[in-house]
Amino acid sequence: MLLACSQTVSAQFSIGGTPKGFSPKVNQSIEIAKMPAFDVDAMLHEDETLNIKGNGPYRFGKNFDVNLNPNNSGSWFTYPNGDRLWQLQISSSSAYSINLQFSYYQLPPDAEMFVYNLSRTMVVGAFTHLNNQDDHLFATDLVQGDQIIVEYFEPKHVSGMGSFNISTVTHAYRNIFSEDFTKGFGTSGACQNNVACPLATGWEDQIKSSVMLVSGGNGFCSGSLVNNTAQDGKPYVLTANHCGSSGFGSWVFRFNWQSATCNNPSSSPSFQSLTGSVQRASSAGSDFSLVEITGGLSNGPIPANYNVYFSGWSNLNVPADSAYGIHHPDGDIKKFSAATNATQSSTMSGAQCWRVGQWTSGCTEGGSSGSPLYDQNKRIVGQLYGGPSYCGAPPSSMFDNYGKFSTSWLGGGTNSTQLKFWLDPSNSGATVLDGYDPNGIVLALDASILNVVTPVDGFTTCNTSITPTVTVKNNGQTALTTFTINTTINGGTAIPFNWTGNLASGQTTAINLPAITGLSAGNQTLVFELINPNNGTDLNTANNQRTVNFTIVNPTPLATIPVFQGAETTPFPGNNWSI
């Protein structure tokens, strides 16, 4: 019970459980990987320049490049039944916390990974095959302490099938777990308002959409979940372009790290986090970046117990009558700022921005970069680029610049440089959109295809037949008793599937569709469309269609399993091999 209570500090997406290494049956000395000493004062001095808003993520730690994996480090323990346990202790003297980045992570079913500190007061995991990503990257949230243990359990029936490599160890020299002069939890400026203060009353939904993110292993930024016209809970996060340009598969997104009261708590509040994303679009012309969280979600929604909200937006180039910000200054818990005056058009380093004329309560700091700016209608109109404001600054410096959402909307004119393609997938032409609560029910009849389970987008197979599976969600207030899903392959004739049953409001169901056979080698496009829910009219058709692309290959000769490769062919691994 004491252990369970001590593990509530954080909850990175995992299946939970208790590390095997806690059992007295595991009795082995664990190899230690020690990080070298470094000059903390010198890095803090550098941070005085680096951690200015607009320069990049707010640096909190020292990254060490490493190459640690079960083939070259750690200690193995073998159980009598053939199961195996690998453990590695990582030590970085005087670190407030340690977090890890993996250059490769691919676990088989039933294998588990945990990371915990030496005192066992903070445990994250178990991480499993559910955390596998297409780019094979992974990262962990911060684990308190200067010594941690990485533990990997592999059952006998999947022995040798797991593979991972720790590429970066981050030593945190700023303490986000307790108040400390080196900045972190509880040390943002005295003028900052916790999101539970009266000033933020009425903004509870938007507060749920704001996140803190870890970029590059050692930098903090802010961002917000943002709604799209399909209103399907696609996990898009809007942040600043200067918060990072690579390594998105290792980004960590922290939700609900905030005080329950207006006063600061005495210790760090609990939170939830997700790891892994892909960048969908970015542009320096308004300093925006749109990323989609992918890690652990398997194309599904953010877990319901995270209780998130997707903020609305306005792409109109119209000044806001008043402006509001929700952010994580100095890598601190979530704060709320207000400016009860109109925004003005401005530029910062050539980027088109909204200038908050003067903060009237609160302001922003390093770590606030990428945080949303809301207008009086509680719609996002920009994300923080930078500015001179800080608690105690003279009135002439109490302003900031936010990249314009209206400029980001069309961006550079391509899918990868604009918001429109991603946030208006149905090309509705919307100029404003209110927020979306995935846990709330609004319309009477709203059936949606939540995601395609199989085939996965980008999938490659040798099979010339495919049996699709889709997940349908009832977003409406009325129970679904019937609907039709039309499946179209490569623009051909639609194959209808008539479903009957009883799907309650807010519930989901996986539906196996009829097999499609006789496919030839090449690129394939599958389109799924849900129509006629309850033989009526769907009140939101923007979330009724999904498209996936996959490839069928016809290798000659077809290999039989197992395959033994001597690695002597040129080129290696040879023709018709797909890695």
Side-chain angles (χ1 to χ4, degrees), residues 3-318:
L3 178 64
C5 291
S6 69
Q7 294 179 33
T8 59
V9 175
S10 71
Q12 187 172 352
F13 178 81
S14 63
I15 65 170
T18 301
K20 299 290 192 297
F22 286 11
S23 169
K25 295 180 181 179
V26 178
N27 184 16
Q28 66 171 349
S29 58
I30 304 175
E31 181 181 326
I32 303 176
K34 293 184 178 181
M35 300 301 106
F38 65 99
D39 191 336
V40 175
D41 290 336
M43 297 198 72
L44 290 170
H45 180 71
E46 289 179 3
D47 289 346
E48 293 177 4
T49 301
L50 290 175
N51 284 351
I52 296 175
K53 286 174 287 184
N55 282 1
Y58 183 85
R59 191 169 73 174
F60 67 87
K62 165 72 173 178
N63 280 348
F64 292 107
D65 294 330
V66 297
N67 179 38
L68 302 171
N69 59 67
N71 296 321
N72 63 17
S73 58
S75 307
W76 281 103
F77 175 84
T78 302
Y79 293 85
N81 66 353
D83 296 345
R84 301 194 303 166
L85 183 72
W86 178 84
Q87 295 174 304
L88 173 67
Q89 182 174 327
I90 298 176
S91 173
S92 192
S93 180
S94 300
Y96 289 109
S97 62
I98 295 175
N99 54 292
L100 309 173
Q101 292 188 76
F102 291 71
S103 60
Y104 194 88
Y105 175 98
Q106 190 76 14
L107 300 193
D110 301 325
E112 297 179 347
M113 178 182 290
F114 286 92
V115 181
Y116 50 91
N117 54 13
L118 206 59
S119 61
R120 300 181 179 179
T121 58
M122 187 171 183
V123 180
V124 292
F127 306 119
T128 66
H129 71 287
L130 298 176
N131 298 94
N132 293 346
Q133 300 182 130
D134 290 342
D135 59 10
H136 302 300
L137 298 180
F138 183 62
T140 68
D141 208 321
L142 284 63
V143 176
Q144 189 174 13
D146 64 357
Q147 297 186 75
I148 65 170
I149 291 177
V150 184
E151 175 180 306
Y152 171 63
F153 173 73
E154 192 172 67
K156 179 181 178 180
H157 66 274
V158 292
S159 180
M161 294 176 62
S163 181
F164 58 88
N165 186 75
I166 302 169
S167 56
T168 306
V169 173
T170 301
H171 169 125
Y173 53 82
R174 299 180 186 275
N175 190 357
I176 72 162
F177 292 100
S178 63
E179 295 191 31
D180 187 87
F181 74 95
T182 54
K183 291 188 178 290
F185 165 65
T187 58
S188 59
C191 72
Q192 304 290 5
N193 307 286
N194 280 324
V195 293
C197 290
L199 180 69
T201 300
W203 290 84
E204 290 79 11
D205 284 338
Q206 291 72 29
I207 289 168
K208 292 190 296 184
S209 74
S210 294
V211 301
M212 186 177 83
L213 60 90
V214 180
S215 168
N218 68 339
F220 292 135
C221 267
S222 299
S224 176
L225 290 169
V226 59
N227 194 17
N228 70 86
T229 55
Q231 304 209 70
D232 57 2
K234 197 79 168 177
Y236 291 134
V237 172
L238 179 67
T239 187
N241 185 52
H242 73 264
C243 284
S245 58
S246 62
F248 301 102
S250 298
W251 280 23
V252 178
F253 301 85
R254 181 176 292 186
F255 300 83
N256 303 314
W257 193 42
Q258 60 202 53
S259 175
T261 64
C262 189
N263 296 324
N264 271 349
S266 59
S267 60
S268 175
S270 61
F271 57 85
Q272 298 96 13
S273 61
L274 293 168
T275 299
S277 64
V278 293
Q279 187 181 56
R280 294 307 186 191
S282 66
S283 174
S286 55
D287 189 47
F288 91 89
S289 178
L290 184 74
V291 298
E292 180 183 346
I293 302 175
T294 55
L297 300 183
S298 301
N299 296 315
I302 294 174
N305 65 325
Y306 281 39
N307 193 29
V308 298
Y309 182 83
F310 295 81
S311 285
W313 43 260
S314 170
N315 60 38
L316 298 173
N317 189 23
V318 177

Side-chain angles (χ1 to χ4, degrees), residues 329-347:
D330 281 347
D332 200 353
I333 55 178
K334 198 178 298 181
K335 305 292 182 177
F336 186 89
S337 301
T340 55
N341 48 70
T343 59
Q344 299 175 336
S345 289
S346 68
T347 59

Side-chain angles (χ1 to χ4, degrees), residues 319-378:
D321 295 339
S322 55
Y324 308 85
I326 306 173
H327 53 110
H328 287 272
D330 281 347
D332 200 353
I333 55 178
K334 198 178 298 181
K335 305 292 182 177
F336 186 89
S337 301
T340 55
N341 48 70
T343 59
Q344 299 175 336
S345 289
S346 68
T347 59
M348 180 174 175
S349 300
Q352 299 300 307
C353 298
W354 289 120
R355 173 170 162 166
V356 176
Q358 184 175 331
W359 291 110
T360 50
S361 184
C363 59
T364 68
E365 304 178 44
S368 303
S369 287
S371 60
L373 181 71
Y374 293 92
D375 65 11
Q376 68 278 2
N377 298 311
K378 300 179 180 176

